[in-house]
Amino acid sequence: MKRLTLLRHAKSGWDDPVARDFDRPLNPRGFKGARLMGRHMRDLGLRYDLVIASPALRVVETLDGLWEGYGRSLHVELDKRIYLASAATLLDVVQEAPDDADALLLSGHNPGMEDLVLLLVPDRPDDAARDQVEEKFPTAALAEIHIDVDHWADVKAGSGALARFIRPRDLDPALGPEARR
């Protein structure tokens, strides 16, 4: 059994004038969401054998905030392919993960993260969590997928089960869209 966790970067600052999208930082709400998600992951006892992430500034800062809330940092392998990647490219990254890592945390961007969940998890009428992902995979949200394989290379479309989908607003309503109105 392999456990794949997808974490979308936290809320970034569109007001910050940067020359490249790649260099866009988090805003204060993003740092708050990342720290909150890290605390929640710690409280759930989630552990990871491998962390692979986009090198974009907003992802790196998300992980910094996440580790602050988690209470410890983990080594992160930065992979340029994850920056604005499609689900197919993200699946390639997953399939190349070493088999001695049973729990993989992958952090990146939408729409690729959302599309990868929808690719891996079959659509079932009674799967409310998958329906939430299909509606929107918001910033700093986390999706955990269990995949009954021994080798990451065997991960394919429809092979996963969505174990949990957690949005920052599920932990603190002040981080939800209604709070901004």
Side-chain angles (χ1 to χ4, degrees), residues 16-121:
D16 197 329
V18 293
R20 302 182 313 159
D21 173 74
F22 186 87
D23 298 321
R24 196 160 26 93
L26 294 187
N27 65 22
R29 180 181 163 117
F31 278 112
K32 181 178 180 182
R35 284 190 298 273
L36 180 65
M37 192 60 71
R39 282 192 301 274
H40 189 67
M41 291 165 69
R42 178 197 64 216
D43 293 347
L44 290 173
L46 299 181
R47 300 284 181 259
Y48 302 98
D49 302 315
L50 178 62
V51 181
I52 306 174
S54 162
L57 180 60
R58 59 191 176 275
V59 175
V60 171
E61 288 184 347
T62 295
L63 292 173
D64 288 344
L66 189 82
W67 302 145
E68 185 180 319
Y70 193 71
R72 67 184 194 124
S73 63
L74 300 175
H75 171 74
V76 178
E77 291 184 14
L78 299 177
D79 189 326
K80 291 179 184 178
R81 294 177 297 169
I82 298 172
Y83 177 65
L84 303 180
S86 67
T89 299
L90 293 173
L91 182 56
D92 288 343
V93 172
V94 169
Q95 290 172 332
E96 293 169 12
D99 288 329
D100 62 346
D102 289 325
L104 170 61
L105 174 63
L106 187 66
S107 186
H109 313 265
N110 245 8
M113 301 299 273
E114 177 179 324
D115 292 343
L116 184 58
V117 174
L118 300 177
L119 175 71
L120 294 177
V121 178

Side-chain angles (χ1 to χ4, degrees), residues 2 4-5 19-20 28 30 45 48 64 79 92 107 111 113 118 123 125 134 136-137 139 142 158 161-162 167 179:
K2 299 292 187 188
L4 173 63
T5 301
R20 302 182 313 159
Y48 302 98
D64 288 344
D79 189 326
D92 288 343
S107 186
M113 301 299 273
L118 300 177
D123 191 6
E134 193 168 9
K136 183 174 184 180
F137 195 123
T139 53
L142 174 146
L162 188 59
R167 304 166 296 186

Side-chain angles (χ1 to χ4, degrees), residues 123-142:
D123 191 6
R124 292 186 169 80
D126 59 344
D127 193 344
R130 188 187 186 282
D131 292 344
Q132 287 178 330
V133 172
E134 193 168 9
E135 182 181 315
K136 183 174 184 180
F137 195 123
T139 53
L142 174 146

